[in-house]
Amino acid sequence: MSSMPAAVSIRDLTVRYARGGYVVTPIERLTLEIEPGTLVLLLGPSGCGKTTLLSCLAGIQKPSDGTIIVDGKDVTALSGKDLTEYRRHGVGVVFQAFNLIPSLTALDNVAMPMRSAGVKAREARHRAEALLSEVGLGERLDHLPSGLSGGQQQRVAIARALALEPRLVVADEPTANLDHRQVEVVLRLLRGLTARGHTVVVSTHDHRLLELADRVVDLAADAEREEGDHGRTLHVGPGELIFSEGDRGDEIFEILRGSVGLRREGGEDAGKIFATVRTGDCFGEMGALFHLPRSATAVAMEDSVLIGRNVAEFRSIHGADKLRELVGRTIGGAE
């Protein structure tokens, strides 16, 4: 286990490069302080600089301007052996595509960074076994990646990232393309890393991670969004009212867990649920966007967790295209 988690200081960071004859600047003058032992989420649509920032933190990409200080060390100034040493021991990387070597077993994939760093074979194997057991794969040591599910491969990748006990761990879209059962295991692992002595920075589109974060940073808004600033979290039980038909409200709701029923209060179908929205779905956009009364009543169908955001917050996180998509698919002409 790491003795102390990493403190990270990012100052006036800018990344720019040429693409197709144009200059692209995914990150411009970003300043961010990350406390040791915290789980930080980077939010924002594709192209806003999430993966680029992780690459800079990992020492894989060099920024155009600015500095990144990790544990008092200027990562942006490192080169040669010092940079190699930082990449090996200072930071662990969990890639979206797992990046496991297909011909190596789970055990050998985790042991590989240790062997490359000069750790003796027996010691590397012992630590790899321990790490894989910690992520629930103690019985999959000899399996090739092709014999593992996506969630299991991601857990191998997390174990590999911890092999040399880095203080900082960065993860790029770690729950992408995983089913809900696999996601739950990976989420618990990521949250648990801070207790193990790691600072964790995660880029994601997956809003299920919001509840786990110590801090949320919205890169699309080019400003920090502290925990609690990304919306209003609601915990509701079966039958609990979220809003009533005719109410005025400026929030769009996203379901992080559970389901919500929509019903009319008048007409021959009064009181009947005509549509159900579930985990990952959004509702309430028409009233919020166009300042209209709610056209239906929304009630929780089960224990559920929702986030309510005003239009500016929702657009900042999901983008204008998502808003247009919601308006285009409005359920039954209702919210």
Side-chain angles (χ1 to χ4, degrees):
M1 181 184 295
S2 302
S3 55
M4 288 289 291
V8 179
S9 178
I10 301 169
R11 299 291 177 87
D12 292 325
L13 196 74
T14 297
V15 178
R16 66 176 68 92
Y17 51 85
R19 176 186 289 174
Y22 296 91
V23 175
V24 179
T25 308
I27 299 175
E28 186 169 13
R29 298 185 63 81
L30 173 69
T31 294
L32 177 64
E33 300 290 332
I34 299 176
E35 294 295 322
T38 56
L39 172 59
V40 176
L41 294 189
L42 305 177
L43 292 183
S46 297
C48 73
K50 299 189 302 297
T51 298
T52 299
L53 178 55
L54 293 188
S55 296
C56 292
L57 285 170
I60 297 171
Q61 183 170 349
K62 204 171 188 68
S64 306
D65 296 294
T67 59
I68 296 175
I69 309 295
V70 179
D71 284 337
K73 182 179 297 183
D74 185 352
V75 175
T76 52
L78 297 178
S79 61
K81 291 182 179 179
D82 291 335
L83 180 57
T84 299
E85 180 71 9
Y86 171 75
R87 289 172 177 169
R88 281 181 173 172
H89 297 279
V91 61
V93 183
V94 181
F95 297 96
Q96 178 180 348
F98 315 141
N99 284 12
L100 301 179
I101 298 176
S103 60
L104 296 183
T105 65
L107 180 68
D108 290 334
N109 265 285
V110 176
M112 182 188 62
M114 292 182 276
R115 296 293 291 134
S116 298
V119 177
K120 293 181 179 179
R122 179 177 296 180
E123 183 181 346
R125 182 179 180 86
H126 178 74
R127 176 156 173 77
E129 288 176 351
L131 285 168
L132 287 168
S133 293
E134 286 183 31
V135 300
L137 294 175
E139 297 181 356
R140 299 287 190 273
L141 303 180
D142 296 325
H143 284 58
L144 295 174
S146 59
L148 300 172
S149 69
Q152 289 170 337
Q153 290 184 60
Q154 189 61 287
R155 281 185 274 163
V156 174
I158 291 172
R160 181 183 59 188
L162 302 178
L164 292 169
E165 301 184 350
R167 293 183 177 186
L168 174 64
V169 175
V170 300
D172 189 15
E173 297 286 357
T175 60
N177 304 316
L178 302 184
D179 67 33
H180 69 279
R181 290 182 297 273
Q182 297 167 341
V183 164
E184 182 176 347
V185 174
V186 171
L187 294 185
R188 290 181 186 276
L189 282 172
L190 290 172
R191 179 66 266 185
L193 291 182
T194 58
R196 289 175 49 97
H198 302 281
T199 300
V200 184
V201 183
V202 179
S203 76
T204 187
H205 287 89
D206 191 339
H207 292 266
R208 288 169 291 193
L209 276 71
L210 286 171
E211 290 292 297
L212 300 178
D214 297 307
R215 189 175 185 185
V216 177
V217 177
D218 178 14
L219 292 181
D222 197 26
E224 297 178 30
R225 299 172 63 88
E226 298 291 341
E227 182 185 16
D229 290 344
H230 52 265
R232 181 172 67 99
T233 302
L234 293 80
H235 297 259
V236 290
E240 193 168 344
L241 191 69
I242 297 157
F243 57 70
S244 297
E245 184 175 342
D247 285 352
R248 297 274 181 174
D250 63 355
E251 289 180 310
I252 303 171
F253 294 92
E254 180 178 4
I255 304 177
L256 300 184
R257 185 177 70 246
S259 58
V260 171
L262 303 178
R263 72 182 186 219
R264 308 287 190 192
E265 298 300 335
E268 60 183 32
D269 292 323
K272 294 182 180 179
I273 300 295
F274 68 87
T276 302
V277 284
R278 306 182 187 281
T279 300
D281 291 335
C282 301
F283 63 99
E285 68 278 1
M286 299 301 285
L289 275 169
F290 303 110
H291 308 290
L292 297 171
R294 302 294 190 185
S295 59
T297 293
V299 294
M301 303 294 289
E302 58 186 312
D303 287 328
S304 302
V305 180
L306 294 76
I307 284 188
R309 299 186 179 92
N310 63 35
V311 173
E313 290 172 334
F314 190 94
R315 183 184 290 112
S316 175
I317 289 175
H318 291 288
D321 287 345
K322 180 66 174 180
L323 280 174
R324 287 191 285 269
E325 176 189 329
L326 287 178
V327 173
R329 67 97 186 119
T330 302
I331 304 170
E335 293 280 300

